[in-house]
Amino acid sequence: MKGQILIISGPSGSGKSTLLSRLMSEFDNIYFSISSTTRMPRDGEQDGVDYNFISVDEFKKGIDEGKFLEWANVHKNYYGTSLEPVEKALKDGKIVIFDIDVQGFYLVMKKYSSIITSVFITTKDRYELKRRLINRGSDDAQTIENRLFNAATEIAHIGEYDYLIINENIDKSYDCLKSIFVSMGSKSQSFDINEVIESWNEC
Ligand code: 5GP
């Protein structure tokens, strides 16, 4: 099988991480692209697991050395995807999952559009998002306002994504994400077509 990319975007607090954790605990053959970020870890987040937490200087050095497939400034912090492990995972035939913002989505599309399936995950409205961010308790009032502002900007781009999940019920949303993921394995692009034709014609 050939490698493919699943891009997940959506506001912080929409339930993306919960849905992705469930997907990764159920399926093998996934490579989750661990982004690098200059933001501080939240309670419970682990370096090298949730993100590679690095300094602004290290991040800028990575940009200069061309280490990032894409990078963006989100909520006044840098976030970026390292190129090398992604290329290796694609070569190994894995489904590479990115949890990136809309800016990153457009940049990755430029390079890999033919092997990308994209999903935007959101709450049903901004009030529900605000409620979840307040309940999560990890951001101050100003950061929550920044995140809501950013979410409103991102929502304008949902029509560019292949799928939209409005996450009101986590089990239903998971079923939806899972069927998208499973159907990626049947995309003709994920096969070596010549190999399939040759083996079909054998004997
Ligand atoms: P958070 O701070 O809530 O973990 O993430 C904030 C936003 O940054 C989310 O929308 C998330 O998808 C996005 N993000 C995380 N990693 C990357 C990355 O490597 N590149 C880009 N462009 N966005 C990212």
Side-chain angles (χ1 to χ4, degrees), residues 4-194:
Q4 290 213 46
I5 292 175
L6 175 61
I7 295 185
I8 307 285
S9 298
S12 317
S14 61
K16 278 180 306 182
S17 309
T18 309
L19 292 167
L20 283 178
S21 305
R22 264 171 92 164
L23 198 66
M24 285 184 281
S25 64
E26 188 169 347
F27 294 94
D28 299 327
N29 205 33
I30 290 178
Y31 171 76
F32 178 69
S33 165
I34 300 170
S35 298
S36 298
T37 184
T38 58
R39 87 150 160 74
M40 297 301 287
R42 291 190 195 112
D43 279 353
E45 282 184 332
Q46 282 176 271
D47 188 31
V49 176
D50 301 284
Y51 282 105
N52 298 312
F53 293 99
I54 62 175
S55 68
V56 174
D57 284 348
E58 276 177 282
F59 200 100
K60 287 187 172 162
K61 190 162 171 265
I63 296 174
D64 292 343
E65 290 172 352
K67 288 202 170 147
F68 294 114
L69 163 61
E70 62 76 37
W71 62 271
N73 200 310
V74 189
H75 315 306
K76 303 192 177 123
N77 288 304
Y78 288 104
Y79 294 81
T81 306
S82 299
L83 180 60
E84 206 180 292
V86 167
E87 295 211 312
K88 180 175 182 313
L90 288 174
K91 227 186 220 164
D92 293 346
K94 302 229 157 111
I95 294 193
V96 179
I97 300 185
F98 294 107
D99 170 354
I100 54 177
D101 79 331
V102 169
Q103 308 172 68
F105 161 67
Y106 284 118
L107 291 169
V108 179
M109 279 292 277
K110 274 195 188 163
K111 182 156 180 170
Y112 294 113
S113 67
S114 66
I115 56 165
I116 289 176
T117 300
S118 56
V119 182
F120 195 96
I121 300 176
T122 181
T123 51
K124 73 173 189 306
D125 55 38
R126 75 192 311 274
Y127 301 103
E128 174 61 14
L129 185 64
K130 187 171 186 178
R131 195 187 64 78
R132 288 192 200 174
L133 289 173
I134 291 170
N135 283 351
R136 186 163 79 178
S138 52
D139 296 315
D140 60 32
Q142 185 55 54
T143 309
I144 289 179
E145 280 315 308
N146 291 345
R147 288 188 185 280
L148 288 169
F149 176 80
N150 210 54
T153 321
E154 293 212 311
I155 285 287
H157 297 267
I158 55 178
E160 301 299 320
Y161 285 73
D162 297 320
Y163 297 96
L164 173 63
I165 297 178
I166 298 175
N167 181 20
E168 292 190 78
N169 173 301
I170 199 79
D171 292 326
K172 279 192 188 155
S173 299
Y174 182 64
D175 286 347
C176 190
L177 182 63
K178 183 172 158 179
S179 29
I180 294 166
F181 178 83
V182 170
S183 66
M184 284 176 74
S186 298
K187 276 188 150 180
S188 53
Q189 294 96 323
S190 71
F191 292 89
D192 184 328
I193 294 299
N194 289 332

